[in-house]
Amino acid sequence: QVQLVESGGGLVQAGGSLRLSCAASGRTFSTFPMGWFRQAPGKEREFVAAIRWSGGNTYYADSVKGRITISRDNAKNTVYLQMNSLKAEDTAVYYCAAATLGRWVLPSRESEYDYWGQGTQVTVSS
């Protein structure tokens, strides 16, 4: 079992920055990849970014490349999502997820993740 708790969401103006955190507990955090997804109102949940267990490799959705950075601190059992140059279209509930089955290096599909946090709201005002 893995428990994930996101924090750091809030209201920010367009062009601003936010850093989301996701604290994990329950299993050895450093052994599996982590990801971030988001769901905007009226839309399906979409992939944002993923990071390998070691933190050495990352993968991003095209829509966020160059503006968003995923990182992890295995000593703190935490994964981060640094979001810069935020746009109104980044408004969504952001979820972190863990892929503990050991089948993928940088999973990008919802089905490849088996644990999810409760989500944190990010609202970007234009």
Side-chain angles (χ1 to χ4, degrees), residues 56-83:
N57 298 90
T58 56
Y59 179 59
Y60 297 93
D62 288 342
S63 59
V64 305
K65 280 181 181 177
R67 301 188 299 116
I68 288 179
T69 302
I70 187 171
S71 62
R72 67 191 294 163
D73 185 339
N74 287 343
K76 296 182 178 180
N77 289 356
T78 302
V79 63
Y80 304 97
L81 193 69
Q82 177 66 45
M83 304 188 293

Side-chain angles (χ1 to χ4, degrees), residues 15-16 27 32 38 57 74 91 93 96 106 117-118 122:
R27 280 188 57 176
F32 45 84
R38 67 185 182 185
N57 298 90
N74 287 343
T91 294
V93 177
C96 71
L106 288 170
Q118 83 289 349
V122 171

Side-chain angles (χ1 to χ4, degrees), residues 6 12 22 24 29-30 55 61 67 80 94 124 126:
E6 302 98 333
V12 62
C22 174
F29 179 74
S30 60
R67 301 188 299 116
Y80 304 97
Y94 283 72
V124 184
S126 56

Side-chain angles (χ1 to χ4, degrees), residues 11-15 86-89 91 123-126:
L11 175 64
V12 62
Q13 289 188 336
L86 283 163
K87 307 174 182 179
E89 50 263 44
T91 294
T123 303
V124 184
S125 63
S126 56

Side-chain angles (χ1 to χ4, degrees), residues 19-31:
R19 188 176 82 154
L20 307 184
S21 299
C22 174
S25 61
R27 280 188 57 176
T28 306
F29 179 74
S30 60
T31 60

